[in-house]
Amino acid sequence: MKILLLGNTGQLGWELERALAPLGEVIAVDYPVFNLMDPDGVRGLIHSAAPQIILNATAYTAVDKAENEPDTSLAYAINAAGPGILAEEAKALSAPLIHYSTDYVFDGAKGRPYIETDATNPLGVYGASKLAGELAVAAAGCAYLTFRTSWVYSMRRDSFVTKVLQWARQQTTLKVVSDQISGPTSARMLAEMTAQLLAMGCTAGSAAAGTHVGNTITDWISERQGTYHLAGDGCASRLEWAQEILRLDPHKDEQTVREVVPAFTADFPTPAQRPLFSCLDCSKYMATFGLRLPPWQKALKLAME
Ligand SMILES: NC(=O)c1ccc[n+]([C@@H]2O[C@H](COP(=O)([O-])OP(=O)(O)OC[C@H]3O[C@@H](n4cnc5c(N)ncnc54)[C@H](OP(=O)(O)O)[C@@H]3O)[C@@H](O)[C@H]2O)c1
């Protein structure tokens, strides 16, 4: 299978390139060679690559910067218009598109884990642009899966995990907010969950192709297409997440921190308002694909080892 992976140097994209390798030829590109702001270049690249499946791990993820950009069109171009073009090209090639979105499409007022059909109400430009991207992908008419995820981290790029480890070596007291709750999600786990289900789709598609002409990974995805919540299992506050990071730190002897104290979101004003409770209920993903999501603590341990 020929796979086009967009955004292979990001947190998720880097892990996807590795997780997808056993499935076929992975053509991996990222900014600036591939620029979602350049629609003609995007279309040209997809035409010449002629992939059988496209995965989009690119995004404008600077949540606070998005609020302050004099021209919010940057976030919308990358998170909404760009994915729309990818979906149109996927349709033209009869290739499925795997896309990722965010818990920030919700306002956090529900107070219980969100399911896919809950009403969206993004609080900021980033969430609104990602929601527009979800809609653009769904409207294009290609076979697609959109995975909404939350609090993605990796050890390779700046993330909450790497920042906590850094602060723990610089400070004696850490103040971490206890009123933001979601599901910490390992980029590696997210990539592996994606690759697992694509492997399943390839096997089912090729088995069915023996009896039904035309049944492929595209058909398999098309039968299951839609939005799925996919995140680390369980919910945690940022404070609980930080405490677990410090507990699992393989080099605790380097820590200078002596206490971790709870704080409130209001203590750290940011340009973008974030949902206070954005845990995602992932039952639909697990029921549809028969895969179990590891508890967020387990995935964190594996990522930090
Ligand atoms: N990070 C989170 O906490 C979080 C939470 C919920 C959902 N998500 C979603 O999960 C997915 C993966 O996120 P991530 O954390 O892996 O993101 P990331 O680490 O920020 O990676 C995004 C990638 O997109 C690239 N990119 C930026 N602008 C581009 C452009 N104009 N054209 C092409 N590529 C461009 C970036 O390149 P440069 O590095 O060169 O800019 C980077 O490689 C995204 O859909 C994101 O919205 C993330």
Side-chain angles (χ1 to χ4, degrees), residues 100-154:
Y100 297 87
S101 188
T102 173
D103 54 332
Y104 284 14
V105 297
F106 296 116
D107 61 15
K110 185 181 176 189
R112 280 176 291 120
Y114 281 95
I115 60 170
E116 288 79 357
T117 49
D118 279 327
T120 52
N121 183 28
L123 300 175
V125 170
Y126 167 73
S129 66
K130 292 293 292 184
L131 178 59
E134 287 185 11
L135 298 173
V137 167
C142 66
Y144 74 96
L145 297 171
T146 293
F147 295 123
R148 274 192 200 136
T149 189
S150 57
W151 287 7
V152 178
Y153 64 87
S154 77

Coordinates of all heavy atoms in Angstrom, one line a residue, residues 100-154:
Y100 N -7.0 14.4 12.0 CA -7.1 14.5 13.4 C -7.6 15.9 13.9 O -7.4 16.9 13.2 CB -5.6 14.4 14.0 CG -5.1 13.0 13.7 CD1 -4.4 12.7 12.5 CD2 -5.3 11.9 14.6 CE1 -3.9 11.5 12.2 CE2 -4.8 10.7 14.3 CZ -4.1 10.4 13.1 OH -3.7 9.2 12.8
S101 N -8.4 15.8 14.9 CA -9.0 17.1 15.4 C -8.8 17.1 17.0 O -8.0 16.3 17.5 CB -10.4 17.3 15.0 OG -10.9 18.5 15.4
T102 N -9.5 18.0 17.6 CA -9.2 18.3 19.0 C -10.4 18.4 19.9 O -11.6 18.7 19.5 CB -8.5 19.7 19.0 OG1 -8.3 20.1 20.4 CG2 -9.3 20.7 18.3
D103 N -10.2 18.1 21.2 CA -11.2 18.3 22.3 C -11.6 19.8 22.4 O -12.6 20.1 23.0 CB -10.6 17.8 23.6 CG -9.3 18.4 24.0 OD1 -8.5 18.8 23.1 OD2 -9.0 18.5 25.2
Y104 N -10.7 20.7 21.8 CA -11.0 22.1 22.0 C -12.2 22.6 21.1 O -12.5 23.8 21.0 CB -9.8 23.0 21.7 CG -8.8 23.0 22.8 CD1 -8.9 22.1 23.9 CD2 -7.7 23.9 22.9 CE1 -7.9 22.1 24.9 CE2 -6.8 23.9 23.9 CZ -6.9 23.0 24.9 OH -6.0 23.0 26.0
V105 N -12.8 21.6 20.4 CA -14.1 22.0 19.7 C -15.2 22.1 20.7 O -16.3 22.6 20.4 CB -14.5 20.9 18.6 CG1 -13.4 20.9 17.5 CG2 -14.7 19.6 19.2
F106 N -15.0 21.7 21.9 CA -16.0 21.7 23.0 C -15.7 22.9 23.9 O -14.6 23.3 24.1 CB -16.1 20.4 23.8 CG -16.5 19.2 22.9 CD1 -15.6 18.2 22.7 CD2 -17.7 19.2 22.3 CE1 -16.0 17.1 21.9 CE2 -18.1 18.1 21.6 CZ -17.2 17.0 21.4
D107 N -16.8 23.3 24.6 CA -16.6 24.5 25.5 C -16.3 24.0 27.0 O -16.0 24.9 27.8 CB -17.8 25.4 25.5 CG -19.1 24.8 25.9 OD1 -19.1 23.7 26.5 OD2 -20.2 25.4 25.6
G108 N -16.4 22.7 27.3 CA -16.1 22.2 28.6 C -17.2 22.3 29.6 O -17.0 22.0 30.8
A109 N -18.4 22.8 29.2 CA -19.5 23.0 30.1 C -20.2 21.7 30.5 O -21.0 21.7 31.4 CB -20.4 24.0 29.6
K110 N -20.0 20.6 29.7 CA -20.8 19.4 29.9 C -20.6 18.8 31.3 O -21.5 18.3 32.0 CB -20.6 18.4 28.8 CG -21.4 17.2 28.9 CD -21.1 16.2 27.8 CE -21.9 14.9 27.9 NZ -21.5 13.8 27.0
G111 N -19.3 18.8 31.7 CA -18.9 18.2 33.0 C -18.8 16.7 33.0 O -18.5 16.2 34.1
R112 N -19.1 16.1 31.9 CA -18.9 14.6 31.8 C -18.2 14.4 30.5 O -18.3 15.2 29.6 CB -20.3 13.9 31.8 CG -20.9 13.7 33.2 CD -22.3 13.1 33.1 NE -23.2 14.0 32.5 CZ -23.9 13.8 31.3 NH1 -23.7 12.7 30.7 NH2 -24.8 14.7 30.9
P113 N -17.6 13.2 30.3 CA -16.9 13.0 29.0 C -17.7 13.2 27.8 O -18.9 12.8 27.8 CB -16.4 11.5 29.2 CG -16.2 11.3 30.6 CD -17.3 12.1 31.3
Y114 N -17.2 13.8 26.8 CA -17.9 14.2 25.6 C -18.0 13.0 24.7 O -17.0 12.3 24.5 CB -17.2 15.3 24.9 CG -17.5 16.7 25.5 CD1 -16.6 17.2 26.4 CD2 -18.6 17.4 25.1 CE1 -16.8 18.5 27.0 CE2 -18.9 18.7 25.7 CZ -18.0 19.2 26.6 OH -18.2 20.4 27.2
I115 N -19.2 12.8 24.1 CA -19.3 11.8 23.0 C -19.3 12.6 21.6 O -19.5 13.8 21.6 CB -20.6 10.9 23.1 CG1 -21.8 11.7 23.1 CG2 -20.4 10.1 24.4 CD1 -23.1 10.9 23.1
E116 N -19.2 11.9 20.6 CA -19.0 12.5 19.2 C -20.2 13.4 18.8 O -20.0 14.3 18.1 CB -18.8 11.4 18.2 CG -17.4 10.7 18.3 CD -17.3 9.6 19.4 OE1 -18.3 9.4 20.1 OE2 -16.3 8.9 19.5
T117 N -21.4 13.0 19.3 CA -22.5 13.8 18.8 C -22.9 15.0 19.7 O -23.8 15.7 19.5 CB -23.8 12.9 18.7 OG1 -23.8 12.1 20.0 CG2 -23.6 11.9 17.6
D118 N -22.1 15.2 20.8 CA -22.4 16.3 21.6 C -22.2 17.6 20.9 O -21.3 17.7 19.9 CB -21.4 16.3 22.9 CG -21.9 15.4 23.9 OD1 -23.1 15.2 24.1 OD2 -21.0 14.8 24.6
A119 N -22.9 18.6 21.3 CA -22.8 19.9 20.6 C -21.4 20.5 20.8 O -20.9 20.5 21.8 CB -23.9 20.9 21.2
T120 N -20.9 21.1 19.7 CA -19.6 21.7 19.7 C -19.8 23.2 20.0 O -20.9 23.8 19.7 CB -18.8 21.6 18.4 OG1 -19.7 22.0 17.3 CG2 -18.4 20.1 18.1
N121 N -18.8 23.8 20.6 CA -18.8 25.3 20.9 C -17.4 25.7 21.2 O -17.1 25.9 22.4 CB -19.8 25.6 22.0 CG -19.9 27.1 22.2 OD1 -19.7 27.9 21.3 ND2 -20.2 27.4 23.5
P122 N -16.5 25.8 20.2 CA -15.2 26.2 20.5 C -15.0 27.5 21.2 O -15.8 28.4 20.9 CB -14.5 26.1 19.2 CG -15.5 26.0 18.1 CD -16.8 25.6 18.8
L123 N -14.1 27.6 22.1 CA -13.9 28.9 22.9 C -12.9 29.8 22.2 O -12.7 30.9 22.6 CB -13.5 28.6 24.3 CG -14.4 27.7 25.1 CD1 -13.8 27.4 26.5 CD2 -15.8 28.5 25.3
G124 N -12.1 29.3 21.3 CA -11.0 30.1 20.7 C -10.9 29.8 19.2 O -11.5 29.0 18.6
V125 N -9.9 30.6 18.6 CA -9.6 30.5 17.2 C -9.2 29.1 16.8 O -9.6 28.5 15.8 CB -8.6 31.6 16.7 CG1 -8.1 31.4 15.3 CG2 -9.2 33.0 16.9
Y126 N -8.2 28.5 17.6 CA -7.7 27.2 17.2 C -8.8 26.2 17.2 O -9.0 25.5 16.2 CB -6.7 26.8 18.3 CG -6.3 25.3 18.2 CD1 -5.5 24.8 17.2 CD2 -6.7 24.4 19.2 CE1 -5.2 23.5 17.2 CE2 -6.4 23.1 19.2 CZ -5.6 22.6 18.1 OH -5.3 21.3 18.1
G127 N -9.7 26.1 18.2 CA -10.8 25.1 18.2 C -11.7 25.4 17.1 O -12.2 24.4 16.4
A128 N -12.0 26.6 16.8 CA -13.0 27.0 15.8 C -12.4 26.6 14.4 O -13.1 26.1 13.5 CB -13.3 28.5 15.8
S129 N -11.1 26.8 14.2 CA -10.5 26.4 12.9 C -10.4 24.9 12.7 O -10.7 24.4 11.7 CB -9.1 27.1 12.8 OG -8.2 26.5 13.7
K130 N -10.2 24.2 13.8 CA -10.2 22.7 13.7 C -11.6 22.2 13.5 O -11.8 21.2 12.7 CB -9.6 22.1 15.0 CG -8.2 22.4 15.3 CD -7.2 21.7 14.3 CE -7.2 20.2 14.4 NZ -6.2 19.6 13.5
L131 N -12.6 22.8 14.1 CA -14.0 22.4 13.8 C -14.3 22.6 12.3 O -14.9 21.8 11.7 CB -14.9 23.1 14.7 CG -16.4 22.8 14.5 CD1 -16.7 21.3 14.8 CD2 -17.3 23.7 15.5
A132 N -13.9 23.8 11.8 CA -14.1 24.1 10.4 C -13.4 23.0 9.5 O -14.0 22.6 8.5 CB -13.6 25.5 10.1
G133 N -12.3 22.6 10.0 CA -11.6 21.5 9.2 C -12.3 20.2 9.2 O -12.4 19.5 8.2
E134 N -12.9 19.8 10.4 CA -13.7 18.6 10.5 C -14.8 18.7 9.5 O -15.1 17.7 8.8 CB -14.4 18.5 11.9 CG -13.4 18.1 13.0 CD -14.2 17.9 14.3 OE1 -15.4 17.8 14.3 OE2 -13.5 17.8 15.4
L135 N -15.5 19.8 9.4 CA -16.7 20.0 8.5 C -16.2 19.9 7.1 O -16.9 19.3 6.2 CB -17.4 21.3 8.8 CG -18.0 21.4 10.3 CD1 -18.5 22.8 10.6 CD2 -19.1 20.3 10.5
A136 N -15.1 20.5 6.8 CA -14.6 20.6 5.4 C -14.3 19.1 4.9 O -14.6 18.7 3.8 CB -13.4 21.5 5.3
V137 N -13.7 18.3 5.8 CA -13.3 17.0 5.5 C -14.6 16.2 5.2 O -14.8 15.4 4.2 CB -12.5 16.3 6.6 CG1 -12.4 14.8 6.4 CG2 -11.1 17.0 6.6
A138 N -15.6 16.3 6.1 CA -16.8 15.6 6.0 C -17.6 16.0 4.8 O -18.3 15.1 4.2 CB -17.7 15.8 7.3
A139 N -17.5 17.2 4.4 CA -18.3 17.7 3.2 C -17.7 17.3 1.9 O -18.5 17.3 0.9 CB -18.4 19.2 3.3
A140 N -16.4 16.9 1.8 CA -15.8 16.7 0.5 C -16.3 15.4 -0.2 O -16.1 15.3 -1.4 CB -14.3 16.7 0.7
G141 N -16.8 14.5 0.6 CA -17.3 13.3 0.0 C -16.3 12.2 -0.2 O -16.6 11.2 -0.8
C142 N -15.1 12.3 0.4 CA -14.2 11.2 0.4 C -14.5 10.2 1.6 O -15.2 10.6 2.5 CB -12.7 11.7 0.5 SG -12.3 12.5 2.1
A143 N -13.8 9.0 1.5 CA -13.9 8.1 2.7 C -12.9 8.7 3.7 O -11.8 9.1 3.4 CB -13.5 6.7 2.3
Y144 N -13.4 8.9 5.0 CA -12.5 9.5 5.9 C -12.8 9.0 7.3 O -13.9 8.5 7.7 CB -12.7 11.1 5.9 CG -14.0 11.5 6.6 CD1 -14.1 11.9 7.9 CD2 -15.2 11.4 5.9 CE1 -15.3 12.2 8.5 CE2 -16.4 11.8 6.5 CZ -16.5 12.2 7.8 OH -17.6 12.5 8.4
L145 N -11.7 9.2 8.2 CA -11.9 9.0 9.6 C -11.3 10.3 10.2 O -10.1 10.6 9.9 CB -11.1 7.8 10.1 CG -11.6 6.4 9.6 CD1 -10.6 5.3 10.0 CD2 -13.0 6.1 10.1
T146 N -12.0 10.9 11.1 CA -11.5 12.1 11.8 C -11.4 11.6 13.3 O -12.4 11.3 13.9 CB -12.3 13.3 11.7 OG1 -12.3 13.8 10.3 CG2 -11.8 14.4 12.6
F147 N -10.2 11.7 13.8 CA -10.0 11.3 15.2 C -9.8 12.6 16.0 O -8.8 13.3 15.9 CB -8.7 10.4 15.4 CG -8.9 9.1 14.7 CD1 -8.0 8.7 13.7 CD2 -10.0 8.3 15.0 CE1 -8.1 7.4 13.1 CE2 -10.1 7.0 14.4 CZ -9.2 6.6 13.4
R148 N -10.7 12.8 16.9 CA -10.6 13.9 17.9 C -9.8 13.4 19.1 O -10.2 12.4 19.7 CB -11.9 14.4 18.4 CG -12.6 15.4 17.5 CD -13.8 15.9 18.3 NE -14.8 16.5 17.4 CZ -16.1 16.3 17.5 NH1 -16.6 15.6 18.4 NH2 -16.9 16.9 16.6
T149 N -8.7 14.1 19.4 CA -7.9 13.7 20.5 C -7.6 14.9 21.5 O -8.1 16.0 21.2 CB -6.6 13.1 19.9 OG1 -5.9 12.5 21.0 CG2 -5.7 14.1 19.2
S150 N -6.9 14.6 22.5 CA -6.7 15.7 23.5 C -5.3 15.6 24.2 O -4.7 14.5 24.3 CB -7.7 15.5 24.7 OG -7.6 14.2 25.2
W151 N -4.8 16.7 24.6 CA -3.6 16.8 25.4 C -2.5 15.9 24.9 O -2.0 15.0 25.6 CB -3.9 16.5 26.9 CG -4.6 17.6 27.6 CD1 -5.1 18.8 27.0 CD2 -4.9 17.7 29.0 NE1 -5.7 19.5 28.0 CE2 -5.6 18.9 29.2 CE3 -4.6 16.9 30.1 CZ2 -6.1 19.3 30.5 CZ3 -5.1 17.2 31.3 CH2 -5.8 18.4 31.5
V152 N -2.1 16.1 23.6 CA -1.1 15.2 23.0 C 0.3 15.6 23.4 O 0.6 16.8 23.5 CB -1.2 15.3 21.4 CG1 -0.1 14.5 20.8 CG2 -2.6 14.9 20.9
Y153 N 1.1 14.6 23.7 CA 2.5 14.8 24.2 C 3.4 13.8 23.5 O 3.0 12.8 23.1 CB 2.6 14.8 25.7 CG 2.3 13.4 26.2 CD1 3.3 12.4 26.3 CD2 1.1 13.0 26.6 CE1 3.1 11.1 26.8 CE2 0.8 11.7 27.1 CZ 1.8 10.8 27.2 OH 1.6 9.5 27.7
S154 N 4.7 14.3 23.4 CA 5.7 13.3 23.0 C 7.0 13.8 23.7 O 7.0 14.9 24.3 CB 5.9 13.3 21.5 OG 6.6 14.5 21.1

